[in-house]
């Protein structure tokens, strides 16, 4: 039974706290949030303590592990604080928006030797797990091309976007991680284009809403990613893995399998699950269990801060490619 | 918080007990099974008491409701015992194999006025709920035809079949209930054919393995049911609702949406979920919550012993139709 | 090169005439229709002669084969006239509405020994051919159940219905033929229900618009047919073949494979092909080629008047079952 | 009735010749091929003349239009010869492998003012037409991203590859044309990666077997193309059009809609149509009819040599991008 503190009581914090409270392998001890009300309300609902200062949660003797769901710019400090206190860590993506800070953090975390997992939830979606399992089983031979489509249902509020770090680091970072994981090799070159076809005023933030990336590995495997901040038909999350002996595709999820035929619609289905909290509900649960299992068994974490750093690096390269119009080599 | 006793620690009892233990609206107090070991093992796992005599569980002061998962021939006695003790009841199907005993039981249960729900789990499957919702919303106009395909993955053991009451009362009874529920009207005539194309020795039990039914309501709505005890591709559960303004279909469930293309297979999917415990895991949970909600709100049970009696009656009519080669009128 | 006369210049006659004119293995010599204008207009378009009396077309020395597309009550006389004149025959369904006349005609046609094919076009649809091929190849083992869904887009004009012979002989007769062909055995018992949920005034014609049939063969194979004269979503034609080693399903056809996602519709497709002339365009071509090939090679016709008689017999049995509320044995 | 000469009796020539012979709006007059036997055999089968010198076919007084299906390096000369002789032209892609020769040819052809159509067959596939129609109808709002997957079933013979001009000009050129057509705008920047994961010895030809492209238009619309010379599951041809109000997808074609369920496969379908002659059979017919219709009506050709030149330009840009690792601006 791992005793858990959840730092941050926003929408992701709530998910992790509820999953920790419901897990057979964890007990939720405390929730921390500077907005005391948010923490108190969540704690009351789940039957645990509430504090406003995350450091107070980290330092508690009855806490074995912390889940960091606070704003991005606090990730590094809180990971390090927890790790220095000897607490295991599950930290939301990204490590940081700055690659140098991320590098420094990764180095110190590795030196501390405390178990730290980065929360790339999509790797734990049942479809993703089946894709990876089938690849590992050799069902499609050698991977040749990976195609990732990733579109959000709607543009986030401007206020969110201002602090997001830009679409590549905020949204596409998930796809960069999936690309690495599904390719099974590190991309060595990155090319990208980006535009503002949803919201032209994003130019003021030096940000984009629509993008395409292509990457290639040393051995010649290729990956394409496309993203858009707005898809009227909902949260679109698809993967295609093309290999020497076959191809794997997943589909978007819907609430049920019901299909409808009317005079106006033929074979239409229910709308896609919206948004990530709903679409990846199973993945968040499986992610936490994977963390708890690795902890319990003393085995390596399935996703590491280094993975977070690599995804960030690819995002940086893509941004540079858009800026320079060149292929960017990944160091 | 409804305090629950589960009677019977077999495969269905285990499901209900686990769901009761995990529900926010229930606490599992005791599990009863004449095989003391089964009850003890389950109780230990879920943190509740164990007894061998179901009546001891029913009579406990700290039990508000009982879930009956014992063999069919004990259903009537245990429902009555619980209802007489003032305990709410959720009872597995069927009420009984004998329509007269079922009639007597239903009459006494109605007279006692205690909340009793019959556990037709398929009504609570998310797909079924969406089908019913869409019908109620008028999405397909007036229902004209309902088609139910229902095939088990494999023949049960002979020992089970001997006491099953025959395929119509054991297996098709679920489909008779769904037919009534989806038609929204009572069938008034039943015709059926049945054969033994899977296992010819079922003739010794006067039983069948493969059947087709057609039924019609007073207003002319029609329903077809087909069943088989064995489908090599897995547990097949499909509904088609055809109405004056459209059609609804559901599909079988699979673990994920992944599709596979190889030199040998094009667009093949993962195998169907097997068997009912896995396929209807969500339905069992929703069924228990519906029971608890109706109890809490003092509202009528969503499925009643009378519903169980009606499904049994249709099964009896179908058996008679097979025997006589006639359309059988439903009294 | 088979020289062909087409009798009847209605919508089916036009299809056959155009296919004959376009075939590499046939030449269209003459079109006959009592409505001289219809024949002339078609003949002009396709570059052949036109006559008003079908017997004049049959007797021409430059005609090897006749395709009969005239009203049902002329089928027997024209088949016999052509066969007596030594001309090969492709005749539209049904042989006749009266089983005794059909029996007499079949007997004389068999005695004459002239090649006569009955035009059950659905057997020649590419999907049907693939279903039959897969069954014959043993892909799904022994057939256990066949399910046929057959719904027309809309009620025909009352004037058509008056002379149609009723839904079982006019519409379901195609499905009875497919049932025999896909089962690979003769049904020995028939049960049916029928109602008027589309158009209640059909009671004046002693006709129905919505029906369900179940049939069983000697060895216990079963078949279900459902029909409706009106489906708002279009012409619905589906088959399911369930066997000891698997299941085969076909889907309705659409103009293209395009799928659409919008805010209102998810994954909807183009409307179904409407009506039989469009849906079975390929089947009509393949049917004619099968006729020509059998003629050229001197091999048995793929569908015979006897097949037409058997389908008619099943329709008669179904009508009797509706009337009597009994299972009807097929003599 | 347009009188047609087909130049080249290879696999594409055969298709065009057969379609011309079968069309109601054309008559096939002569087939020309330096390999006299190929021309004679085809001419005999289709009932037309045969010559060995294409110029002899062009100069015939009874020829209104020529279809050029000869090797790529003869396209420019034969187009010009036919246009100078006042004959309408339908020419297979590409215009030429050299952009300068293409530019010169396009200029002269435009000056001559003779109707010349370039044969980008994929625009005439029923699915493509429906995609374009739906875009034009505003069904998905403004196009934002186009994704084209294009994989051949297997590597062509080395001998073919040597003269192919490389994968970008030989194979991807079709996709560049579709990109322009579906985007509805000209790409202004091109980035590409390419590798040899199917056949490493392609390095000797300075060619590739697997590639990814991203392009962007002035207004920020984006397009991704992925190609591979070998897909074990067959000829893969898919389009995705993502717009401000929805998304359109097409699927690969199969011979029928039959789906199969067995113990080993769930819902698998028949293999994809292989190869382009079969997959695009309808498109080749529609392409010819579009050519004949434009000729007859004196309207502009639906695809022009200029379109061929633009696709070639994009291919050149992609090759340069692979070579330089830079985004290449399209002049």
């Amino acid at each position: 039974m791992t005793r858990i503190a959840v730092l941050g009581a926003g929408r992701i914090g709530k998910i992790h706290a509820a999953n920790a409270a419901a897990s057979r392998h964890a007990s939720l001890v405390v929730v921390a949030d500077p907005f005391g009300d948010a923490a108190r309300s969540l704690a009351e609902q789940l039957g645990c303590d509430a504090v406003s200062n995350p450091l107070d949660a980290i330092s508690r003797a009855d806490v074995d592990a912390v889940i960091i769901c606070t704003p991005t710019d606090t990730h590094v400090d809180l990971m390090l604080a927890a790790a220095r206190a000897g607490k295991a860590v599950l930290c939301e993506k990204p490590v940081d928006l700055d690659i140098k800070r991320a590098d420094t953090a990764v180095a110190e975390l590795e030196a501390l030797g405390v178990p730290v997992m980065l929360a790339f939830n999509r790797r734990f979606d049942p479809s993703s797990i089946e894709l990876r399992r089938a690849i590992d089983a050799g069902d499609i031979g050698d991977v040749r091309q990976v195609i990732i489509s990733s579109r959000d249902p709607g543009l986030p509020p401007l206020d969110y976007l201002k602090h997001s770090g830009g679409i590549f680091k905020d949204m596409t970072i998930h796809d960069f991680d999936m690309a690495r994981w599904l390719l099974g090799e590190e991309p060595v070159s990155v090319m990208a284009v980006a535009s503002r076809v949803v919201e032209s005023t994003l130019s003021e933030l030096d940000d984009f809403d629509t993008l395409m990336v292509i990457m290639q590995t040393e051995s010649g495997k290729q990956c394409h990613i496309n993203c858009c901040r707005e898809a009227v038909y909902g949260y679109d999350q698809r993967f295609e893995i093309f290999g020497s002996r076959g191809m794997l595709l997943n589909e978007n999820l819907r609430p049920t399998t019901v299909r409808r035929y009317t005079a106006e619609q033929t074979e239409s289905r229910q709308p896609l699950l919206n948004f990530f909290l709903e679409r990846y509900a199973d993945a968040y649960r499986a992610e936490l269990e994977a963390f708890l299992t690795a902890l319990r068994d003393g085995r390596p974490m399935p996703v590491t801060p280094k993975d977070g750093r690599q995804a960030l690096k690819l995002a940086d390269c893509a941004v540079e490619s858009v800026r320079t119009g060149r292929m960017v080599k990944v160091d």
Side-chain angles (χ1 to χ4, degrees), chain A residues 99-224:
Chain A
I99 189 78
K100 287 195 185 138
R101 269 198 97 206
D103 279 339
T104 311
V106 168
E108 180 168 350
L109 288 169
E110 290 182 353
L112 286 165
V114 167
V116 182
M117 172 168 162
L118 204 79
F120 278 128
N121 58 304
R122 293 184 196 180
R123 292 198 192 188
F124 299 93
D125 184 57
S127 281
S128 302
I129 290 168
E130 170 61 13
L131 291 175
R132 190 64 248 175
R133 188 206 60 70
I135 295 168
D136 289 340
D139 293 358
I140 57 164
D142 294 326
V143 171
R144 289 176 177 171
Q145 293 184 318
V146 170
I147 297 172
I148 301 177
S149 293
S150 178
R151 296 173 190 144
D152 280 358
L155 205 66
L158 195 64
D159 207 55
Y160 173 92
L161 289 171
K162 272 181 190 158
H163 304 91
S164 70
I167 186 171
F168 284 100
K169 293 188 193 178
D170 178 54
M171 181 178 167
T172 317
I173 195 148
H174 279 292
D175 307 303
F176 285 121
D177 181 62
M178 288 302 287
R180 293 178 60 238
W181 189 58
L182 291 170
L183 284 167
E185 288 182 8
E186 294 294 333
V188 295
S189 68
V190 180
M191 287 172 158
V193 290
S195 63
R196 300 165 195 104
V197 293
V198 178
E199 180 52 61
S200 61
T201 61
L202 287 177
S203 59
E204 294 166 22
L205 302 181
D206 203 21
D207 201 357
F208 305 93
D209 49 47
T210 304
L211 65 86
M212 284 189 164
V213 176
I214 48 178
M215 306 192 288
Q216 193 161 279
T217 71
E218 192 65 42
S219 75
K221 299 184 195 324
Q222 298 162 352
C223 176
H224 163 66

Side-chain angles (χ1 to χ4, degrees), chain A residues 57 91 166:
Chain A
C91 181

Side-chain angles (χ1 to χ4, degrees), chain A residues 34-35 42 70 72 78 90 95 117 136 189 219 273 278 285 288 290:
Chain A
F35 296 93
L42 183 58
T70 52
T72 295
L78 290 173
L90 173 61
V95 174
M117 172 168 162
D136 289 340
S189 68
S219 75
L273 289 180
E278 193 180 358
R285 268 191 293 273
L288 178 60

Side-chain angles (χ1 to χ4, degrees), chain A residues 211-269:
Chain A
L211 65 86
M212 284 189 164
V213 176
I214 48 178
M215 306 192 288
Q216 193 161 279
T217 71
E218 192 65 42
S219 75
K221 299 184 195 324
Q222 298 162 352
C223 176
H224 163 66
I225 298 169
N226 63 74
C227 290
C228 186
R229 284 284 195 187
E230 181 196 70
V232 294
Y233 56 86
Y235 187 43
D236 191 357
Q237 298 274 302
R238 284 170 292 145
F239 299 101
E240 171 179 332
I241 327 286
F242 167 59
S244 58
R245 293 223 300 269
M247 175 170 63
L248 300 167
L249 301 167
N250 77 343
E251 279 173 41
N252 284 300
L253 295 186
R254 292 160 189 82
T256 76
T257 62
V258 172
R259 289 178 188 270
R260 176 179 306 214
Y261 289 69
T262 67
E264 293 78 32
Q265 301 184 11
T266 307
E267 213 183 292
S268 68
R269 307 187 63 179

